[in-house]
Amino acid sequence: DSGVTQTPKHLITATGQRVTLRCSPRSGDLSVYWYQQSLDQGLQFLIQYYNGEERAKGNILERFSAQQFPDLHSELNLSSLELGDSALYFCASSALAGGGNEQFFGPGTRLTVL
Amino acid sequence: GQSLEQPSEVTAVEGAIVQINCTYQTSGFYGLSWYQQHDGGAPTFLSYNALDGLEETGRFSSFLSRSDSYGYLLLQELQMKDSASYFCAVNPAGTALIFGKGTTLSVSS
């Protein structure tokens, strides 16, 4: 158990819908990262927050957005969902803003878009 | 941009030694990490090399050559439970990880 929690574990929805994925980092970690894992694209970095502020952006679509709240939990919002958005979404946390050398991953949310 | 190359699949038998290579091209470099992921599970950290040389942690070792932009993960005394995907990763901007496509290791008895 990494100490990172993600809800929900599974999510099934329809094209065009909007969903919110939630992540709570390890106690004391200020950095939160979101990654998408699909069969054809592998593990791809989406976005990072550090202590409430956006720190780095990766291959995140404009239809996707995220935020980190004062209690340090984070939410990833996915809107106008398409079939291709079906994937495993991981949240990870680390103590450092720079990512350091170890990130702790949550169990993931499996999103299925029908 | 960034790219990491690693073999897609490796097979071995219990008790054997296997080496998974990773070559990288990045605009910046802080170090090379290795993560293990069992099917459907979360990636878990195995090792990190910031400097050239070998780092050993139990049955697993990791090596880095910065001049060659190359590293490898060495797994010794393989066990069935080592069957998983192994990812090398860099954090070129010192922030998020950029992962290779992963190497699927299958260990048979």
Side-chain angles (χ1 to χ4, degrees):
Chain A
D1 184 355
S2 67
V4 178
T5 61
Q6 289 186 248
T7 56
K9 201 165 184 174
H10 301 278
L11 201 45
I12 301 174
T13 188
T15 54
Q17 295 298 304
R18 174 190 167 94
V19 297
T20 297
L21 313 183
R22 184 188 166 105
C23 166
S24 292
R26 285 190 325 156
S27 177
D29 283 356
L30 299 179
S31 265
V32 169
Y33 311 79
W34 286 97
Y35 295 89
Q36 179 193 57
Q37 186 173 37
S38 58
L39 279 172
D40 56 342
Q41 293 294 323
L43 259 169
Q44 294 228 313
F45 166 64
L46 296 178
I47 196 164
Q48 177 200 2
Y49 278 81
Y50 176 76
N51 203 20
E53 300 289 326
E54 184 183 301
R55 176 83 177 183
K57 236 174 181 176
N59 300 320
I60 188 165
L61 299 171
E62 283 192 15
R63 301 183 285 108
F64 296 1
S65 65
Q67 55 185 323
Q68 186 179 29
F69 295 86
D71 67 352
L72 300 178
H73 91 270
S74 177
E75 292 181 358
L76 179 68
N77 300 295
L78 316 176
S79 62
S80 303
L81 285 167
E82 302 175 0
L83 296 177
D85 297 327
S86 295
L88 252 179
Y89 291 84
F90 287 106
C91 165
S93 74
S94 69
L96 305 174
N101 57 356
E102 182 171 3
Q103 294 183 13
F104 297 86
F105 283 74
T109 294
R110 184 172 294 280
L111 173 66
T112 303
V113 182
L114 301 175
Chain B
Q2 278 73 234
S3 70
L4 296 97
E5 296 291 329
Q6 54 181 126
S8 57
E9 290 183 32
V10 174
T11 58
V13 296
E14 273 188 303
I17 299 173
V18 76
Q19 178 173 313
I20 299 173
N21 299 320
C22 174
T23 57
Y24 58 87
Q25 279 188 312
T26 64
S27 51
F29 184 79
Y30 286 77
L32 186 70
S33 302
W34 289 92
Y35 283 76
Q36 178 192 59
Q37 185 181 30
H38 284 98
D39 199 28
T44 57
F45 174 81
L46 290 177
S47 68
Y48 175 72
N49 295 68
L51 303 174
D52 285 0
L54 190 69
E55 296 276 346
E56 296 180 65
T57 310
R59 296 187 296 114
F60 294 179
S61 304
S62 58
F63 172 82
L64 175 66
S65 168
R66 294 174 68 115
S67 59
D68 295 322
S69 298
Y70 163 76
Y72 66 72
L73 179 69
L74 190 73
L75 299 89
Q76 302 181 75
E77 300 171 23
L78 281 173
Q79 302 174 11
M80 297 289 285
K81 67 178 182 179
D82 297 328
S83 293
S85 291
Y86 293 85
F87 296 86
C88 58
V90 295
N91 55 340
T95 56
L97 291 169
I98 307 300
F99 286 88
K101 294 282 191 190
T103 299
T104 300
L105 170 64
S106 300
V107 181
S108 59
S109 55

